[in-house]
């Protein structure tokens, strides 16, 4: 069994689905949670491909990009679909969730209060449509 080290901040964020995959599969991994200060040092050291987190180290090999890591882990622990078509359908659902998440997260980072209020309303308006699509899509699988 490979040694897995998942590196992210002490929040759920982009690493949470990866953590969940490991937990559901009952696979042990080191959950390395960085402070902002530790991340600043790591980022300038060049140890983070693409200069961002999460990272997954697999027996010394570093993987970056949360969705690439999720697909890798799902394949490794036996939770990925078995056919290419089913994998594409799973990717489609993940991409749909990503579209919704970006709408829901955008207001959090907006500094202008008027623009933030507008983004909140856009997210509220988009949510039922996105959820209906995901519900209809996943029910047909």
């Amino acid at each position: 069994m490979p040694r897995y080290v998942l590196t992210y901040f002490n929040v759920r964020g982009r690493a949470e689905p990866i953590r969940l995959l490991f937990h559901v599969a009952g696979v042990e991994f080191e959950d390395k949670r960085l402070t902002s200060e530790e991340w600043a040092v790591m980022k300038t050291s060049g140890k983070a491909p693409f200069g961002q987190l999460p990272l997954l180290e697999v027996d010394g090999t570093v993987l970056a990009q949360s969705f690439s890591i999720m697909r890798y882990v799902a394949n490794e622990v036996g939770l990925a679909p078995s056919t290419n078509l089913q994998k594409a359908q799973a990717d489609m659902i993940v991409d749909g969730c990503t579209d919704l998440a970006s709408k829901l997260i955008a207001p959090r980072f907006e500094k202008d209060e008027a623009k933030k209020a507008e983004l909140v309303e856009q997210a509220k308006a988009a949510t039922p449509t996105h959820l209906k699509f995901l519900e209809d899509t996943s029910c047909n699988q």
Side-chain angles (χ1 to χ4, degrees):
M1 176 70 75
R3 181 174 186 271
Y4 299 109
V5 179
L6 179 63
T7 303
Y8 196 62
F9 303 103
N10 192 23
V11 296
R12 290 183 176 151
R14 293 189 177 271
E16 194 65 9
I18 301 163
R19 291 180 186 122
L20 291 171
L21 284 167
F22 281 129
H23 285 295
V24 166
V27 173
E28 288 188 29
F29 69 102
E30 181 182 339
D31 193 3
K32 186 174 180 180
R33 298 187 184 218
L34 302 180
T35 64
S36 297
E37 295 79 19
E38 290 169 324
W39 168 237
V41 171
M42 183 180 188
K43 188 174 184 178
T44 58
S45 73
K47 292 183 180 179
F50 303 97
Q52 60 192 27
L53 296 176
L55 299 175
L56 179 67
E57 186 177 329
V58 183
D59 290 337
T61 299
V62 176
L63 299 174
Q65 298 294 342
S66 56
F67 290 109
S68 294
I69 295 169
M70 281 184 257
R71 283 189 292 273
Y72 168 78
V73 171
N75 281 307
E76 284 295 295
V77 302
L79 294 174
S82 57
T83 70
N84 287 335
L85 181 57
Q86 290 169 334
K87 288 177 184 182
Q89 289 172 317
D91 285 342
M92 175 181 70
I93 292 168
V94 168
D95 290 344
C97 290
T98 302
D99 289 347
L100 178 57
S102 35
K103 289 186 183 303
L104 297 173
I105 292 169
R108 177 182 168 111
F109 298 101
E110 179 57 54
K111 304 265 188 265
D112 179 272
E113 290 301 321
K115 179 68 175 168
K116 181 183 274 193
E118 183 180 323
L119 290 172
V120 166
E121 290 309 312
Q122 289 173 3
K124 284 180 183 177
T127 298
T129 302
H130 279 276
L131 292 178
K132 177 80 170 110
F133 165 76
L134 291 169
E135 182 179 70
D136 291 349
T137 301
S138 63
C139 288
N140 291 324
Q141 304 309 314

